[in-house]
Amino acid sequence: GDSVTQMEGPVTLSEEAFLTINCTYTATGYPSLFWYVQYPGEGLQLLLKATKADDKGSNKGFEATYRKETTSFHLEKGSVQVSDSAVYFCALRNSGYSTLTFGKGTMLLVSP
Amino acid sequence: DARVTQTPRDKVTEMGQEVTMRCQPILGHNTVFWYRQTMKQGLELLAYFRNRAPLDDSGMPKDRFSAEMPDATLATLKIQPSEPRDSAVYFCASGLVLGTSGRAYNEQFFGPGTRLTVL
């Protein structure tokens, strides 16, 4: 079946540091890939997505590139802020389906 | 600003009691999802509906959980009887899916969740 593997957290960074959160996937077919963010006490919000190989999703300074050859969708940001502290979820949706398969989430803690 | 709403936000109950969680999807969305989030298992899909009909509830313990959509503006998730291991945050999400192939049209929008504690 489909699965998503994320690096375990927490990831602890100082403000303005570079961020990478690794995500790899296993799926039959050609999935769409997503990053969701969950701020404390809230539901998940879509951060960015990519629907085919080599697509780059970007939003709020975050980027991720769909790499089919390495089955990866790593999340990056050049300079994190304290307000980026949250839990980040990588997810996939296989073609023809409406359900998402989520990774376990990676907590990011950014200190001033 | 269209949002998914969930009630209650927090629920503390004793083992054996019935718990009902409610969700109001975004108006016009035809697909509703129920998820459970725990530290140990992460996010698990419990069930989902399209046009109020259940499509898949294989993630849900059938003996004690039930999910329904009495109308297009209300989805419910019920646990009877509740057990301590049901303690988790339960999320509802809605989305719009078009076409007979079920090809998703837009993202899933999540509600704020119901934090359930069963003592």
Side-chain angles (χ1 to χ4, degrees):
Chain A
D2 299 341
S3 67
V4 175
T5 303
Q6 291 180 235
M7 59 190 290
E8 287 195 26
V11 173
T12 305
L13 295 173
S14 298
E15 207 165 22
E16 298 184 4
F18 183 86
L19 168 71
T20 300
I21 299 178
N22 291 337
C23 169
T24 57
Y25 67 90
T26 302
T28 56
Y30 301 96
S32 297
L33 301 174
F34 304 82
W35 277 101
Y36 279 80
V37 58
Q38 183 180 26
Y39 298 103
E42 298 183 11
L44 280 70
Q45 305 171 28
L46 180 65
L47 181 60
L48 54 84
K49 68 179 180 183
T51 58
K52 61 182 188 296
D54 300 325
D55 267 2
K56 178 186 282 188
S58 61
N59 186 23
K60 300 181 181 179
F62 290 89
E63 292 183 340
T65 301
Y66 189 143
R67 300 284 187 205
K68 193 167 186 293
E69 64 277 12
T70 55
T71 61
S72 65
F73 193 54
H74 304 322
L75 182 68
E76 296 182 335
K77 186 175 186 184
S79 175
V80 293
Q81 306 300 312
V82 173
S83 57
D84 294 327
S85 297
V87 180
Y88 292 82
F89 292 88
C90 185
L92 71 82
R93 185 180 64 218
N94 221 326
S95 56
Y97 295 87
S98 55
T99 57
L100 292 168
T101 300
F102 285 93
K104 295 217 165 177
T106 302
M107 179 178 287
L108 170 65
L109 299 170
V110 181
S111 57
Chain B
D1 187 22
R3 295 183 184 214
V4 176
T5 58
Q6 290 186 248
T7 56
R9 292 294 310 274
D10 281 282
K11 176 73 177 178
V12 179
T13 191
E14 293 190 346
M15 183 172 61
Q17 296 298 304
E18 177 179 301
V19 175
T20 299
M21 292 170 269
R22 293 177 174 79
C23 166
Q24 183 172 11
I26 292 173
L27 190 64
H29 282 185
N30 62 355
T31 307
V32 173
F33 305 83
W34 281 105
Y35 292 90
R36 176 170 62 185
Q37 184 179 38
T38 60
M39 292 295 292
K40 187 176 179 185
Q41 299 293 335
L43 267 168
E44 304 171 275
L45 177 67
L46 296 176
Y48 75 103
F49 294 76
R50 178 148 324 126
N51 297 322
R52 296 176 55 201
L55 287 192
D56 186 355
D57 61 1
S58 59
M60 208 163 65
K62 302 287 193 308
D63 55 339
R64 298 183 300 108
F65 284 59
S66 61
E68 296 179 344
M69 279 201 74
D71 60 62
T73 64
L74 177 64
T76 62
L77 179 66
K78 191 174 294 187
I79 308 174
Q80 167 64 14
S82 57
E83 297 181 3
R85 60 180 166 152
D86 301 329
S87 297
V89 181
Y90 291 81
F91 288 103
C92 172
S94 73
L96 180 63
V97 178
L98 299 177
T100 55
S101 67
R103 188 170 181 82
Y105 183 72
N106 75 351
E107 64 182 275
Q108 291 184 24
F109 291 81
F110 281 75
T114 294
R115 180 176 297 277
L116 174 65
T117 304
V118 183
L119 302 174

PDB file of all heavy atoms in Angstrom, chain A residues 36 38 41-44 46 89 93 96-100 102 104, chain B residues 9 33 35 37 40 43 45 48 50 91 101 104 107-108 110-111:
ATOM      1  N   TYR A  36       1.364  19.703   4.574  1.00  0.00           N
ATOM      2  CA  TYR A  36       0.401  20.389   5.424  1.00  0.00           C
ATOM      3  C   TYR A  36       1.126  20.882   6.672  1.00  0.00           C
ATOM      4  O   TYR A  36       2.110  20.276   7.114  1.00  0.00           O
ATOM      5  CB  TYR A  36      -0.724  19.442   5.856  1.00  0.00           C
ATOM      6  CG  TYR A  36      -1.814  19.241   4.829  1.00  0.00           C
ATOM      7  CD1 TYR A  36      -1.648  18.362   3.767  1.00  0.00           C
ATOM      8  CD2 TYR A  36      -3.027  19.924   4.942  1.00  0.00           C
ATOM      9  CE1 TYR A  36      -2.660  18.173   2.836  1.00  0.00           C
ATOM     10  CE2 TYR A  36      -4.047  19.737   4.021  1.00  0.00           C
ATOM     11  CZ  TYR A  36      -3.851  18.861   2.972  1.00  0.00           C
ATOM     12  OH  TYR A  36      -4.851  18.674   2.052  1.00  0.00           O
ATOM     13  N   GLN A  38       0.435  22.220  10.785  1.00  0.00           N
ATOM     14  CA  GLN A  38      -0.510  22.269  11.904  1.00  0.00           C
ATOM     15  C   GLN A  38       0.080  23.140  13.003  1.00  0.00           C
ATOM     16  O   GLN A  38       1.070  22.770  13.641  1.00  0.00           O
ATOM     17  CB  GLN A  38      -0.789  20.869  12.436  1.00  0.00           C
ATOM     18  CG  GLN A  38      -1.827  20.833  13.546  1.00  0.00           C
ATOM     19  CD  GLN A  38      -2.083  19.429  14.068  1.00  0.00           C
ATOM     20  OE1 GLN A  38      -1.228  18.555  13.999  1.00  0.00           O
ATOM     21  NE2 GLN A  38      -3.279  19.211  14.602  1.00  0.00           N
ATOM     22  N   GLY A  41      -2.972  23.750  18.503  1.00  0.00           N
ATOM     23  CA  GLY A  41      -4.396  23.891  18.773  1.00  0.00           C
ATOM     24  C   GLY A  41      -5.264  24.053  17.552  1.00  0.00           C
ATOM     25  O   GLY A  41      -6.461  24.336  17.666  1.00  0.00           O
ATOM     26  N   GLU A  42      -4.697  23.878  16.376  1.00  0.00           N
ATOM     27  CA  GLU A  42      -5.474  24.073  15.152  1.00  0.00           C
ATOM     28  C   GLU A  42      -5.483  22.820  14.281  1.00  0.00           C
ATOM     29  O   GLU A  42      -4.765  21.858  14.548  1.00  0.00           O
ATOM     30  CB  GLU A  42      -4.891  25.235  14.338  1.00  0.00           C
ATOM     31  CG  GLU A  42      -4.931  26.562  15.072  1.00  0.00           C
ATOM     32  CD  GLU A  42      -4.421  27.696  14.206  1.00  0.00           C
ATOM     33  OE1 GLU A  42      -4.228  27.506  12.986  1.00  0.00           O
ATOM     34  OE2 GLU A  42      -4.214  28.801  14.770  1.00  0.00           O
ATOM     35  N   GLY A  43      -6.317  22.846  13.262  1.00  0.00           N
ATOM     36  CA  GLY A  43      -6.327  21.771  12.281  1.00  0.00           C
ATOM     37  C   GLY A  43      -5.213  21.948  11.269  1.00  0.00           C
ATOM     38  O   GLY A  43      -4.446  22.904  11.321  1.00  0.00           O
ATOM     39  N   LEU A  44      -5.137  21.010  10.347  1.00  0.00           N
ATOM     40  CA  LEU A  44      -4.088  21.061   9.321  1.00  0.00           C
ATOM     41  C   LEU A  44      -4.482  22.049   8.229  1.00  0.00           C
ATOM     42  O   LEU A  44      -5.647  22.171   7.863  1.00  0.00           O
ATOM     43  CB  LEU A  44      -3.881  19.681   8.697  1.00  0.00           C
ATOM     44  CG  LEU A  44      -3.035  18.683   9.471  1.00  0.00           C
ATOM     45  CD1 LEU A  44      -3.730  18.210  10.713  1.00  0.00           C
ATOM     46  CD2 LEU A  44      -2.686  17.489   8.585  1.00  0.00           C
ATOM     47  N   LEU A  46      -3.217  23.284   4.226  1.00  0.00           N
ATOM     48  CA  LEU A  46      -2.348  22.981   3.106  1.00  0.00           C
ATOM     49  C   LEU A  46      -1.281  24.061   2.977  1.00  0.00           C
ATOM     50  O   LEU A  46      -1.585  25.252   2.928  1.00  0.00           O
ATOM     51  CB  LEU A  46      -3.153  22.912   1.813  1.00  0.00           C
ATOM     52  CG  LEU A  46      -2.350  22.608   0.554  1.00  0.00           C
ATOM     53  CD1 LEU A  46      -1.766  21.199   0.636  1.00  0.00           C
ATOM     54  CD2 LEU A  46      -3.218  22.748  -0.697  1.00  0.00           C
ATOM     55  N   PHE A  89       3.386  18.023   8.028  1.00  0.00           N
ATOM     56  CA  PHE A  89       2.999  16.693   7.554  1.00  0.00           C
ATOM     57  C   PHE A  89       3.191  16.603   6.046  1.00  0.00           C
ATOM     58  O   PHE A  89       2.698  17.445   5.302  1.00  0.00           O
ATOM     59  CB  PHE A  89       1.524  16.410   7.852  1.00  0.00           C
ATOM     60  CG  PHE A  89       1.198  16.255   9.313  1.00  0.00           C
ATOM     61  CD1 PHE A  89       0.868  17.365  10.075  1.00  0.00           C
ATOM     62  CD2 PHE A  89       1.216  15.010   9.906  1.00  0.00           C
ATOM     63  CE1 PHE A  89       0.560  17.229  11.417  1.00  0.00           C
ATOM     64  CE2 PHE A  89       0.909  14.871  11.252  1.00  0.00           C
ATOM     65  CZ  PHE A  89       0.584  15.984  12.008  1.00  0.00           C
ATOM     66  N   ARG A  93      -1.585  11.721  -2.388  1.00  0.00           N
ATOM     67  CA  ARG A  93      -2.891  11.302  -2.865  1.00  0.00           C
ATOM     68  C   ARG A  93      -2.680  10.597  -4.184  1.00  0.00           C
ATOM     69  O   ARG A  93      -2.159  11.195  -5.133  1.00  0.00           O
ATOM     70  CB  ARG A  93      -3.835  12.490  -3.046  1.00  0.00           C
ATOM     71  CG  ARG A  93      -5.260  12.092  -3.435  1.00  0.00           C
ATOM     72  CD  ARG A  93      -6.156  13.301  -3.605  1.00  0.00           C
ATOM     73  NE  ARG A  93      -5.721  14.148  -4.699  1.00  0.00           N
ATOM     74  CZ  ARG A  93      -5.772  15.491  -4.672  1.00  0.00           C
ATOM     75  NH1 ARG A  93      -6.224  16.116  -3.606  1.00  0.00           N
ATOM     76  NH2 ARG A  93      -5.373  16.186  -5.703  1.00  0.00           N
ATOM     77  N   GLY A  96      -6.729   9.189  -9.001  1.00  0.00           N
ATOM     78  CA  GLY A  96      -8.030   8.534  -9.032  1.00  0.00           C
ATOM     79  C   GLY A  96      -8.659   8.366  -7.668  1.00  0.00           C
ATOM     80  O   GLY A  96      -9.773   7.867  -7.547  1.00  0.00           O
ATOM     81  N   TYR A  97      -7.958   8.761  -6.610  1.00  0.00           N
ATOM     82  CA  TYR A  97      -8.500   8.660  -5.262  1.00  0.00           C
ATOM     83  C   TYR A  97      -8.598  10.041  -4.632  1.00  0.00           C
ATOM     84  O   TYR A  97      -7.859  10.944  -4.997  1.00  0.00           O
ATOM     85  CB  TYR A  97      -7.606   7.766  -4.394  1.00  0.00           C
ATOM     86  CG  TYR A  97      -7.577   6.341  -4.846  1.00  0.00           C
ATOM     87  CD1 TYR A  97      -6.682   5.909  -5.812  1.00  0.00           C
ATOM     88  CD2 TYR A  97      -8.468   5.421  -4.311  1.00  0.00           C
ATOM     89  CE1 TYR A  97      -6.669   4.605  -6.240  1.00  0.00           C
ATOM     90  CE2 TYR A  97      -8.453   4.105  -4.725  1.00  0.00           C
ATOM     91  CZ  TYR A  97      -7.549   3.688  -5.688  1.00  0.00           C
ATOM     92  OH  TYR A  97      -7.549   2.397  -6.097  1.00  0.00           O
ATOM     93  N   SER A  98      -9.485  10.194  -3.681  1.00  0.00           N
ATOM     94  CA  SER A  98      -9.590  11.474  -2.984  1.00  0.00           C
ATOM     95  C   SER A  98      -9.017  11.420  -1.576  1.00  0.00           C
ATOM     96  O   SER A  98      -8.968  12.431  -0.903  1.00  0.00           O
ATOM     97  CB  SER A  98     -11.045  11.928  -2.930  1.00  0.00           C
ATOM     98  OG  SER A  98     -11.857  10.927  -2.357  1.00  0.00           O
ATOM     99  N   THR A  99      -8.554  10.259  -1.122  1.00  0.00           N
ATOM    100  CA  THR A  99      -8.030  10.170   0.244  1.00  0.00           C
ATOM    101  C   THR A  99      -6.534  10.462   0.267  1.00  0.00           C
ATOM    102  O   THR A  99      -5.820  10.223  -0.705  1.00  0.00           O
ATOM    103  CB  THR A  99      -8.278   8.784   0.842  1.00  0.00           C
ATOM    104  OG1 THR A  99      -7.670   7.812  -0.010  1.00  0.00           O
ATOM    105  CG2 THR A  99      -9.761   8.498   0.967  1.00  0.00           C
ATOM    106  N   LEU A 100      -6.076  10.993   1.394  1.00  0.00           N
ATOM    107  CA  LEU A 100      -4.673  11.310   1.600  1.00  0.00           C
ATOM    108  C   LEU A 100      -4.030  10.278   2.518  1.00  0.00           C
ATOM    109  O   LEU A 100      -4.658   9.804   3.458  1.00  0.00           O
ATOM    110  CB  LEU A 100      -4.536  12.683   2.252  1.00  0.00           C
ATOM    111  CG  LEU A 100      -4.938  13.895   1.409  1.00  0.00           C
ATOM    112  CD1 LEU A 100      -5.032  15.139   2.274  1.00  0.00           C
ATOM    113  CD2 LEU A 100      -3.929  14.106   0.296  1.00  0.00           C
ATOM    114  N   PHE A 102      -0.903  10.205   5.076  1.00  0.00           N
ATOM    115  CA  PHE A 102      -0.033  11.151   5.771  1.00  0.00           C
ATOM    116  C   PHE A 102       1.187  10.470   6.375  1.00  0.00           C
ATOM    117  O   PHE A 102       1.118   9.307   6.809  1.00  0.00           O
ATOM    118  CB  PHE A 102      -0.792  11.828   6.922  1.00  0.00           C
ATOM    119  CG  PHE A 102      -1.773  12.870   6.486  1.00  0.00           C
ATOM    120  CD1 PHE A 102      -3.097  12.532   6.267  1.00  0.00           C
ATOM    121  CD2 PHE A 102      -1.377  14.178   6.305  1.00  0.00           C
ATOM    122  CE1 PHE A 102      -4.011  13.500   5.871  1.00  0.00           C
ATOM    123  CE2 PHE A 102      -2.286  15.148   5.908  1.00  0.00           C
ATOM    124  CZ  PHE A 102      -3.599  14.803   5.690  1.00  0.00           C
ATOM    125  N   LYS A 104       3.956  10.804   9.655  1.00  0.00           N
ATOM    126  CA  LYS A 104       3.676  10.955  11.077  1.00  0.00           C
ATOM    127  C   LYS A 104       3.870  12.383  11.578  1.00  0.00           C
ATOM    128  O   LYS A 104       3.538  12.678  12.727  1.00  0.00           O
ATOM    129  CB  LYS A 104       4.534   9.996  11.892  1.00  0.00           C
ATOM    130  CG  LYS A 104       4.204   8.542  11.622  1.00  0.00           C
ATOM    131  CD  LYS A 104       4.301   7.696  12.873  1.00  0.00           C
ATOM    132  CE  LYS A 104       3.619   6.368  12.655  1.00  0.00           C
ATOM    133  NZ  LYS A 104       3.714   5.466  13.788  1.00  0.00           N
TER     134      LYS A 104
ATOM    135  N   ARG B   9     -15.128  21.402  21.037  1.00  0.00           N
ATOM    136  CA  ARG B   9     -13.688  21.495  20.840  1.00  0.00           C
ATOM    137  C   ARG B   9     -12.940  20.592  21.815  1.00  0.00           C
ATOM    138  O   ARG B   9     -11.893  20.052  21.494  1.00  0.00           O
ATOM    139  CB  ARG B   9     -13.223  22.948  21.014  1.00  0.00           C
ATOM    140  CG  ARG B   9     -13.699  23.890  19.928  1.00  0.00           C
ATOM    141  CD  ARG B   9     -13.085  23.546  18.560  1.00  0.00           C
ATOM    142  NE  ARG B   9     -11.645  23.390  18.596  1.00  0.00           N
ATOM    143  CZ  ARG B   9     -10.783  24.394  18.483  1.00  0.00           C
ATOM    144  NH1 ARG B   9     -11.230  25.632  18.302  1.00  0.00           N
ATOM    145  NH2 ARG B   9      -9.487  24.173  18.533  1.00  0.00           N
ATOM    146  N   PHE B  33     -14.392  13.809   5.484  1.00  0.00           N
ATOM    147  CA  PHE B  33     -13.453  12.836   6.015  1.00  0.00           C
ATOM    148  C   PHE B  33     -13.407  12.969   7.541  1.00  0.00           C
ATOM    149  O   PHE B  33     -13.452  14.066   8.078  1.00  0.00           O
ATOM    150  CB  PHE B  33     -12.042  13.100   5.479  1.00  0.00           C
ATOM    151  CG  PHE B  33     -11.933  13.159   3.983  1.00  0.00           C
ATOM    152  CD1 PHE B  33     -12.227  14.326   3.285  1.00  0.00           C
ATOM    153  CD2 PHE B  33     -11.508  12.059   3.264  1.00  0.00           C
ATOM    154  CE1 PHE B  33     -12.123  14.395   1.907  1.00  0.00           C
ATOM    155  CE2 PHE B  33     -11.392  12.118   1.882  1.00  0.00           C
ATOM    156  CZ  PHE B  33     -11.700  13.279   1.204  1.00  0.00           C
ATOM    157  N   TYR B  35     -10.772  11.934  10.655  1.00  0.00           N
ATOM    158  CA  TYR B  35      -9.448  11.457  11.009  1.00  0.00           C
ATOM    159  C   TYR B  35      -9.302  11.424  12.525  1.00  0.00           C
ATOM    160  O   TYR B  35      -9.937  12.185  13.247  1.00  0.00           O
ATOM    161  CB  TYR B  35      -8.364  12.412  10.481  1.00  0.00           C
ATOM    162  CG  TYR B  35      -8.195  12.474   8.999  1.00  0.00           C
ATOM    163  CD1 TYR B  35      -8.917  13.387   8.226  1.00  0.00           C
ATOM    164  CD2 TYR B  35      -7.283  11.651   8.343  1.00  0.00           C
ATOM    165  CE1 TYR B  35      -8.743  13.454   6.860  1.00  0.00           C
ATOM    166  CE2 TYR B  35      -7.099  11.726   6.972  1.00  0.00           C
ATOM    167  CZ  TYR B  35      -7.829  12.626   6.248  1.00  0.00           C
ATOM    168  OH  TYR B  35      -7.652  12.708   4.889  1.00  0.00           O
ATOM    169  N   GLN B  37      -6.112  11.608  15.413  1.00  0.00           N
ATOM    170  CA  GLN B  37      -4.694  11.908  15.573  1.00  0.00           C
ATOM    171  C   GLN B  37      -4.248  11.547  16.981  1.00  0.00           C
ATOM    172  O   GLN B  37      -4.798  12.044  17.968  1.00  0.00           O
ATOM    173  CB  GLN B  37      -4.412  13.398  15.317  1.00  0.00           C
ATOM    174  CG  GLN B  37      -2.935  13.758  15.364  1.00  0.00           C
ATOM    175  CD  GLN B  37      -2.683  15.231  15.093  1.00  0.00           C
ATOM    176  OE1 GLN B  37      -3.430  16.108  15.508  1.00  0.00           O
ATOM    177  NE2 GLN B  37      -1.620  15.526  14.362  1.00  0.00           N
ATOM    178  N   LYS B  40       1.000   8.252  19.053  1.00  0.00           N
ATOM    179  CA  LYS B  40       1.567   6.961  18.674  1.00  0.00           C
ATOM    180  C   LYS B  40       1.319   6.626  17.199  1.00  0.00           C
ATOM    181  O   LYS B  40       2.220   6.186  16.490  1.00  0.00           O
ATOM    182  CB  LYS B  40       0.968   5.870  19.559  1.00  0.00           C
ATOM    183  CG  LYS B  40       1.592   4.500  19.400  1.00  0.00           C
ATOM    184  CD  LYS B  40       0.997   3.515  20.378  1.00  0.00           C
ATOM    185  CE  LYS B  40       1.614   2.133  20.200  1.00  0.00           C
ATOM    186  NZ  LYS B  40       0.967   1.128  21.077  1.00  0.00           N
ATOM    187  N   LEU B  43      -1.823  10.511  12.137  1.00  0.00           N
ATOM    188  CA  LEU B  43      -3.142  10.762  11.564  1.00  0.00           C
ATOM    189  C   LEU B  43      -3.663   9.513  10.883  1.00  0.00           C
ATOM    190  O   LEU B  43      -3.040   8.985   9.973  1.00  0.00           O
ATOM    191  CB  LEU B  43      -3.041  11.867  10.524  1.00  0.00           C
ATOM    192  CG  LEU B  43      -3.298  13.282  10.978  1.00  0.00           C
ATOM    193  CD1 LEU B  43      -2.878  14.253   9.910  1.00  0.00           C
ATOM    194  CD2 LEU B  43      -4.755  13.504  11.333  1.00  0.00           C
ATOM    195  N   LEU B  45      -7.058   7.818   8.900  1.00  0.00           N
ATOM    196  CA  LEU B  45      -8.366   8.037   8.291  1.00  0.00           C
ATOM    197  C   LEU B  45      -9.344   7.021   8.858  1.00  0.00           C
ATOM    198  O   LEU B  45      -9.105   5.812   8.770  1.00  0.00           O
ATOM    199  CB  LEU B  45      -8.274   7.901   6.773  1.00  0.00           C
ATOM    200  CG  LEU B  45      -9.577   8.045   5.999  1.00  0.00           C
ATOM    201  CD1 LEU B  45     -10.109   9.479   6.099  1.00  0.00           C
ATOM    202  CD2 LEU B  45      -9.378   7.658   4.537  1.00  0.00           C
ATOM    203  N   TYR B  48     -14.927   8.085   5.309  1.00  0.00           N
ATOM    204  CA  TYR B  48     -15.265   9.255   4.526  1.00  0.00           C
ATOM    205  C   TYR B  48     -16.530   9.043   3.726  1.00  0.00           C
ATOM    206  O   TYR B  48     -16.924   7.898   3.448  1.00  0.00           O
ATOM    207  CB  TYR B  48     -14.105   9.732   3.665  1.00  0.00           C
ATOM    208  CG  TYR B  48     -13.760   8.950   2.430  1.00  0.00           C
ATOM    209  CD1 TYR B  48     -14.132   9.421   1.169  1.00  0.00           C
ATOM    210  CD2 TYR B  48     -13.010   7.796   2.513  1.00  0.00           C
ATOM    211  CE1 TYR B  48     -13.774   8.734   0.030  1.00  0.00           C
ATOM    212  CE2 TYR B  48     -12.656   7.107   1.374  1.00  0.00           C
ATOM    213  CZ  TYR B  48     -13.025   7.583   0.125  1.00  0.00           C
ATOM    214  OH  TYR B  48     -12.673   6.904  -1.008  1.00  0.00           O
ATOM    215  N   ARG B  50     -19.125  10.620   0.485  1.00  0.00           N
ATOM    216  CA  ARG B  50     -19.317  11.485  -0.697  1.00  0.00           C
ATOM    217  C   ARG B  50     -20.802  11.597  -0.933  1.00  0.00           C
ATOM    218  O   ARG B  50     -21.514  10.575  -0.955  1.00  0.00           O
ATOM    219  CB  ARG B  50     -18.618  10.919  -1.930  1.00  0.00           C
ATOM    220  CG  ARG B  50     -18.868  11.808  -3.136  1.00  0.00           C
ATOM    221  CD  ARG B  50     -17.755  11.878  -4.152  1.00  0.00           C
ATOM    222  NE  ARG B  50     -16.442  11.824  -3.575  1.00  0.00           N
ATOM    223  CZ  ARG B  50     -15.528  10.923  -3.958  1.00  0.00           C
ATOM    224  NH1 ARG B  50     -15.807  10.046  -4.895  1.00  0.00           N
ATOM    225  NH2 ARG B  50     -14.354  10.932  -3.408  1.00  0.00           N
ATOM    226  N   PHE B  91     -10.383  14.894  13.854  1.00  0.00           N
ATOM    227  CA  PHE B  91     -10.525  15.955  12.858  1.00  0.00           C
ATOM    228  C   PHE B  91     -11.547  15.567  11.810  1.00  0.00           C
ATOM    229  O   PHE B  91     -11.596  14.417  11.364  1.00  0.00           O
ATOM    230  CB  PHE B  91      -9.197  16.226  12.154  1.00  0.00           C
ATOM    231  CG  PHE B  91      -8.176  16.917  13.004  1.00  0.00           C
ATOM    232  CD1 PHE B  91      -7.118  16.209  13.549  1.00  0.00           C
ATOM    233  CD2 PHE B  91      -8.269  18.275  13.253  1.00  0.00           C
ATOM    234  CE1 PHE B  91      -6.174  16.839  14.333  1.00  0.00           C
ATOM    235  CE2 PHE B  91      -7.327  18.917  14.044  1.00  0.00           C
ATOM    236  CZ  PHE B  91      -6.281  18.189  14.586  1.00  0.00           C
ATOM    237  N   SER B 101     -14.989   9.553 -12.023  1.00  0.00           N
ATOM    238  CA  SER B 101     -13.726   8.902 -11.692  1.00  0.00           C
ATOM    239  C   SER B 101     -13.282   9.220 -10.274  1.00  0.00           C
ATOM    240  O   SER B 101     -12.351   8.588  -9.764  1.00  0.00           O
ATOM    241  CB  SER B 101     -12.625   9.345 -12.658  1.00  0.00           C
ATOM    242  OG  SER B 101     -12.343  10.724 -12.452  1.00  0.00           O
ATOM    243  N   ALA B 104     -10.041  14.135  -7.568  1.00  0.00           N
ATOM    244  CA  ALA B 104     -10.170  15.218  -6.600  1.00  0.00           C
ATOM    245  C   ALA B 104     -10.032  16.551  -7.295  1.00  0.00           C
ATOM    246  O   ALA B 104      -9.211  16.715  -8.194  1.00  0.00           O
ATOM    247  CB  ALA B 104      -9.136  15.064  -5.506  1.00  0.00           C
ATOM    248  N   GLU B 107      -8.288  20.785  -2.487  1.00  0.00           N
ATOM    249  CA  GLU B 107      -7.659  20.244  -1.302  1.00  0.00           C
ATOM    250  C   GLU B 107      -8.700  19.880  -0.262  1.00  0.00           C
ATOM    251  O   GLU B 107      -9.870  20.250  -0.363  1.00  0.00           O
ATOM    252  CB  GLU B 107      -6.734  21.293  -0.697  1.00  0.00           C
ATOM    253  CG  GLU B 107      -7.503  22.530  -0.219  1.00  0.00           C
ATOM    254  CD  GLU B 107      -6.587  23.590   0.344  1.00  0.00           C
ATOM    255  OE1 GLU B 107      -6.260  23.507   1.523  1.00  0.00           O
ATOM    256  OE2 GLU B 107      -6.232  24.508  -0.428  1.00  0.00           O
ATOM    257  N   GLN B 108      -8.239  19.170   0.759  1.00  0.00           N
ATOM    258  CA  GLN B 108      -9.068  18.917   1.926  1.00  0.00           C
ATOM    259  C   GLN B 108      -8.876  20.071   2.909  1.00  0.00           C
ATOM    260  O   GLN B 108      -7.764  20.462   3.203  1.00  0.00           O
ATOM    261  CB  GLN B 108      -8.652  17.607   2.604  1.00  0.00           C
ATOM    262  CG  GLN B 108      -8.990  16.378   1.786  1.00  0.00           C
ATOM    263  CD  GLN B 108      -8.662  15.099   2.522  1.00  0.00           C
ATOM    264  OE1 GLN B 108      -8.600  15.068   3.757  1.00  0.00           O
ATOM    265  NE2 GLN B 108      -8.443  14.024   1.776  1.00  0.00           N
ATOM    266  N   PHE B 110      -9.432  21.261   6.726  1.00  0.00           N
ATOM    267  CA  PHE B 110      -9.595  20.635   8.025  1.00  0.00           C
ATOM    268  C   PHE B 110     -10.284  21.567   9.023  1.00  0.00           C
ATOM    269  O   PHE B 110     -10.054  22.784   9.015  1.00  0.00           O
ATOM    270  CB  PHE B 110      -8.227  20.242   8.595  1.00  0.00           C
ATOM    271  CG  PHE B 110      -7.674  18.982   8.018  1.00  0.00           C
ATOM    272  CD1 PHE B 110      -7.147  18.952   6.733  1.00  0.00           C
ATOM    273  CD2 PHE B 110      -7.671  17.812   8.754  1.00  0.00           C
ATOM    274  CE1 PHE B 110      -6.636  17.785   6.187  1.00  0.00           C
ATOM    275  CE2 PHE B 110      -7.159  16.639   8.225  1.00  0.00           C
ATOM    276  CZ  PHE B 110      -6.647  16.617   6.948  1.00  0.00           C
ATOM    277  N   GLY B 111     -11.084  20.967   9.895  1.00  0.00           N
ATOM    278  CA  GLY B 111     -11.620  21.691  11.028  1.00  0.00           C
ATOM    279  C   GLY B 111     -10.597  21.758  12.146  1.00  0.00           C
ATOM    280  O   GLY B 111      -9.511  21.184  12.042  1.00  0.00           O
TER     281      GLY B 111
END
